[in-house]
Amino acid sequence: MTPPPWSVRRPPALDDALIDGLADVLIDCVEGGASVSFMHPLTRERAVAFWRRVARAVAAGERAVLVAEDARGVCGTVQLVFDLPENQPHRADLAKMLVHRRARRRGLGEALMRAAEATARECGKTLLVLDAVTGGDAARLYERLGWVRVGDIPDYALYPQGGLCGTTFYYRRLGG
Ligand SMILES: CC(C)(COP(=O)(O)OP(=O)(O)OC[C@H]1O[C@@H](n2cnc3c(N)ncnc32)[C@H](O)[C@@H]1OP(=O)(O)O)[C@@H](O)C(=O)NCCC(=O)NCCS
């Protein structure tokens, strides 16, 4: 079988080159209309500032960032957020699942999800929680992978170009 044209890893730290590549992916997703916390146009300065904050959280052990790279550089990413209240040490939030448009619909989203779940298990987590635009590409991916749909909140956020979208919450128990 042909190996996939990308590899996924969990860098111990996010250096400037990775931050640059991650900013490219975030900007591409926002330009493509993804509702991922940012409005269009997302400047490089704001995107880099976001990833610098994430880099500090990685250094503090508050987040894990998975990075997918292809021949052109960073092409996808997803995060586990560990910085939760002290009565929730067994769980993590899954956030900022982003695949560059050049790499979509080839199984990278699924590979990132499986890698994130494996990383969460390695970190001793037994429960993951996330939310996604209701009825969007990501929601379909999570349901295909067996995440349990909790419910929808209408008009939760704006698309980057404006217009409200609902969000759907999901959870996944991580078996032993
Ligand atoms: C959601 C997202 C991460 C999915 O990434 P992806 O790499 O395209 O995901 P996959 O390739 O695993 O699956 C996507 C589709 O491609 C299909 N696919 C996977 N491998 C394929 C292949 N080799 N050939 C053809 N189709 C394939 C999957 O079946 C799936 O189909 P569906 O959408 O009809 O259900 C991506 O669209 C994205 O980054 N969107 C913008 C950001 C965003 O919204 N993030 C979510 C925040 S919650």
Side-chain angles (χ1 to χ4, degrees):
M1 217 167 84
T2 325
W6 61 73
S7 58
V8 176
R9 66 187 173 110
R10 178 187 175 189
L14 301 184
D15 61 18
D16 285 349
L18 275 177
I19 286 173
D20 237 36
L22 288 162
D24 284 340
V25 173
L26 179 59
I27 290 168
D28 178 75
C29 287
V30 172
E31 272 175 13
S35 178
V36 286
S37 309
F38 295 96
M39 297 303 290
H40 181 78
L42 174 57
T43 60
R44 169 154 289 277
E45 195 185 0
R46 279 166 57 225
V48 166
F50 167 76
W51 285 110
R52 287 204 190 290
R53 285 195 298 278
V54 173
R56 286 195 288 276
V58 170
E62 295 166 355
R63 289 186 184 220
V65 176
L66 299 183
V67 175
E69 288 154 308
D70 63 12
R72 289 170 58 187
V74 180
C75 58
T77 182
V78 67
Q79 295 179 34
L80 291 167
V81 180
F82 301 134
D83 185 23
L84 296 176
E86 65 182 25
N87 68 344
Q88 297 160 37
H90 56 292
R91 75 169 194 90
D93 287 331
L94 191 142
K96 290 287 174 300
M97 160 71 138
L98 306 167
V99 172
H100 194 286
R101 284 176 290 181
R102 74 171 183 263
R104 287 192 196 161
R105 302 193 67 79
R106 281 187 278 167
L108 177 53
E110 177 173 340
L112 282 166
M113 287 303 290
R114 294 198 189 284
E117 289 172 16
T119 301
R121 275 194 197 91
E122 283 161 24
C123 295
K125 305 299 173 185
T126 54
L127 180 68
L128 292 177
V129 174
L130 65 76
D131 68 280
V133 171
T134 303
D137 293 345
R140 213 164 42 249
L141 171 66
Y142 305 143
E143 288 182 19
R144 178 157 52 88
L145 295 180
W147 283 64
V148 181
R149 182 185 178 126
V150 179
D152 302 342
I153 302 177
D155 297 347
Y156 189 81
L158 292 169
Y159 286 107
Q161 313 268 8
L164 289 163
C165 57
T167 201
T168 303
F169 279 81
Y170 294 89
Y171 73 89
R172 184 158 171 83
R173 284 190 191 281
L174 300 176

